[in-house]
Amino acid sequence: SYEPTWGSLDARPLPAWFDEAKFGVFIHWGVFSVPSFGSEWFWWYWQKEKRAPYVKFMEANYPPGFSYEDFGPLFTAEFFDPNQWADILKASGAKYVVLTSKHHEGFTLWGSKYSWNWNAVDVGPKRDLVAELATSVRNRTDLHFGLYHSLFEWFNPLFLEDATNVFKTRKFPTSKSLPELYELVTKYQPEIIWSDGDGNAPDTYWNSTGFLAWLYNDSPVRDTVVTNDRWGVGSICTHGGFYTCSDRYNPGHLLPHKWENCMTIDKRSWGYRRNAQLDDYLTIEDLVKQLVETVSCGGNLLMNIGPTHDGRIAVIFEERLRQMGAWLKVNGEAIYGTKPWKAQNDTVTPEVWYTFSPKEGKVNAIFLNWPVSGMLELGEPQAKLGETQVKLVGYEELLKWVALGEKGIVIALPQLTPQQLPCQWGWTLQLTDVN
């Protein structure tokens, strides 16, 4: 039984499935998908910061007096097919998905009784989008279903009143934020609660420890649920389940605590942008590199897509997801269920990252550039003559190698045409019986 204190909550072991999963897909979808301009922070940048591009965009395209709330009915989702989404998620090789149930705009993608007339059942699609996706994901895939939830809401009068009182009053969390969280968990039983948006308020204002104690002790998902670290000012990278530390966090070295790199395929935004250029999207080479670096350093990769207001996953996002799945179909054994090895990346050849498969006792060396010479030199493994075996994943025959003194090995790669390569964008060598 966990106490509502960080000392007690932080001692809870992270359910094993999360570390084994390694790869998830983040989905940012909401009313911000309607203007689909600039960023999912559209409302804040337009109304609060009055940034010129946003103000000009509204003046040029919408009538005077048009409010952000007027975008609500235009969030229509008429092409949203949860089965199709689930099939794309499955094809991506991801093991979990995290949907934004509510962003900082306060609009809930389920018919929350705490978000009157500002939710997807009352306004816009007139559908429970959370329920539909949860059902499809659970019926058609083995992915774990998770939900993102923003603690604060930019323009909620109750939150603004509490903020004016320097959070000495707690009207907003007690009447809105916390009831929503309890509702989400009991209704949809998500296995990840991805909290965000502390609104510069401490965790005591949000009663985060009280909620987490209930989540871990009494909730329907108490045994399997994982949480992140965004539960109030000062909790990020310090308290909670896995650490996120910052957006697009990729430290490049091993961390002592389980962490996640949440990042976006669109370099500039989490929500869909109609004005995005091809160059704004990360290539599949970029994404494979992010995955390999992240996993070798003990992290999970949470890769974000932003669907359109009418419920489509844009073709470029679908292509990237399917490419990732194709790569993982070949190289998944070097990713899923692995542990970090003694070295994370190679000391001699750049762009070589290591993972360790504990069940098989194999060292995986994932290299992102195929050497022109056909010889790959690795500085880290200690090979044993007559014992060490080297295999290129997806290729039948064992590879020849030569040891270099105490440490290091040169491997002769097979001469293959592009058509004969087991995959593109990165390759895995499996080394057995290395010291």
Side-chain angles (χ1 to χ4, degrees), residues 254-314:
L254 193 59
L255 294 188
H257 192 281
K258 184 64 196 182
W259 61 281
E260 182 184 70
N261 172 4
C262 66
M263 44 69 74
T264 54
I265 298 176
D266 175 350
K267 300 171 206 170
R268 296 163 176 240
S269 173
W270 297 79
Y272 180 70
R273 291 188 306 136
R274 282 181 287 167
N275 57 324
Q277 307 294 304
L278 183 62
D279 199 39
D280 293 334
Y281 298 106
L282 293 174
T283 63
I284 183 59
E285 289 85 354
D286 296 329
L287 296 171
V288 167
K289 183 177 190 252
Q290 284 279 333
L291 176 70
V292 170
E293 288 178 3
T294 298
V295 172
S296 72
C297 295
N300 280 15
L301 187 72
L302 183 61
M303 194 168 93
N304 178 74
I305 59 170
T308 60
H309 77 279
D310 54 13
R312 291 171 297 117
I313 292 175

Side-chain angles (χ1 to χ4, degrees), residues 65 76 83 92 138 156 173 181 231 241 264 316 321 330 336 392 402 426:
T76 46
N83 287 342
S92 76
R138 285 167 175 154
N156 190 299
L181 275 169
W231 294 100
T264 54
I316 188 145
L321 292 173
V330 176
Y336 306 125
L392 174 68
V402 181

Side-chain angles (χ1 to χ4, degrees), residues 22 254 295-299 338-344 354-356:
K22 305 300 181 190
L254 193 59
V295 172
S296 72
C297 295
T338 59
K339 297 278 179 230
W341 192 46
K342 66 176 172 98
Q344 275 59 67
Y354 293 101
T355 64
F356 181 68

Side-chain angles (χ1 to χ4, degrees), residues 126-318:
K126 307 280 171 81
R127 293 163 70 177
D128 186 330
L129 304 175
V130 173
E132 289 189 38
L133 188 61
T135 301
S136 289
V137 164
R138 285 167 175 154
N139 286 346
R140 298 171 83 90
T141 79
D142 59 358
L143 274 81
H144 296 264
F145 183 76
L147 292 171
Y148 165 108
H149 176 268
S150 173
L151 290 170
F152 91 129
E153 296 170 18
W154 290 314
F155 300 112
N156 190 299
L158 294 175
F159 176 73
L160 296 175
E161 187 186 329
D162 287 346
T164 306
N165 299 330
V166 208
F167 305 116
K168 296 287 183 278
T169 54
R170 296 184 58 250
K171 281 186 186 173
F172 180 72
T174 52
S175 65
K176 181 80 163 69
S177 219
L178 284 165
E180 272 174 357
L181 275 169
Y182 287 106
E183 185 181 43
L184 274 178
V185 173
T186 41
K187 211 167 171 181
Y188 306 108
Q189 309 194 3
E191 289 182 278
I192 303 155
I193 299 283
W194 216 101
S195 181
D196 191 29
D198 59 37
N200 299 321
D203 65 79
T204 47
Y205 168 78
W206 298 113
N207 190 26
S208 298
T209 55
F211 169 73
L212 290 171
W214 170 81
L215 187 69
Y216 296 166
N217 291 328
D218 303 310
S219 82
V221 286
R222 59 187 173 273
D223 298 326
T224 55
V225 74
V226 295
T227 61
N228 67 342
D229 55 350
R230 304 186 181 192
W231 294 100
V233 170
S235 75
I236 194 166
C237 223
T238 313
H239 296 304
F242 59 89
Y243 293 170
T244 62
C245 301
S246 69
D247 293 350
R248 302 178 180 85
Y249 182 68
N250 188 359
H253 57 84
L254 193 59
L255 294 188
H257 192 281
K258 184 64 196 182
W259 61 281
E260 182 184 70
N261 172 4
C262 66
M263 44 69 74
T264 54
I265 298 176
D266 175 350
K267 300 171 206 170
R268 296 163 176 240
S269 173
W270 297 79
Y272 180 70
R273 291 188 306 136
R274 282 181 287 167
N275 57 324
Q277 307 294 304
L278 183 62
D279 199 39
D280 293 334
Y281 298 106
L282 293 174
T283 63
I284 183 59
E285 289 85 354
D286 296 329
L287 296 171
V288 167
K289 183 177 190 252
Q290 284 279 333
L291 176 70
V292 170
E293 288 178 3
T294 298
V295 172
S296 72
C297 295
N300 280 15
L301 187 72
L302 183 61
M303 194 168 93
N304 178 74
I305 59 170
T308 60
H309 77 279
D310 54 13
R312 291 171 297 117
I313 292 175
V315 173
I316 188 145
F317 290 136
E318 179 180 350

Side-chain angles (χ1 to χ4, degrees), residues 17-51:
W17 75 260
F18 184 75
D19 178 53
E20 287 162 12
K22 305 300 181 190
F23 175 46
V25 174
F26 214 170
I27 303 177
H28 272 67
W29 197 29
V31 172
F32 51 81
S33 309
V34 178
S36 53
F37 173 86
S39 162
E40 72 290 346
W41 278 58
F42 185 93
W43 194 3
W44 182 262
Y45 293 154
W46 167 41
Q47 291 285 6
K48 181 71 179 167
E49 295 189 1
K50 301 197 178 354
R51 292 189 184 184

Side-chain angles (χ1 to χ4, degrees), residues 391-430:
K391 190 178 181 312
L392 174 68
V393 173
Y395 177 75
E396 282 306 297
E397 295 156 47
L398 292 173
L399 306 189
K400 294 187 167 62
W401 57 268
V402 181
L404 296 174
E406 283 294 288
K407 203 167 127 180
I409 180 174
V410 177
I411 297 154
L413 296 172
Q415 292 185 313
L416 302 174
T417 66
Q419 282 71 30
Q420 291 172 313
L421 285 171
C423 58
Q424 297 169 270
W425 319 309
W427 302 269
T428 302
L429 292 173
Q430 281 182 338

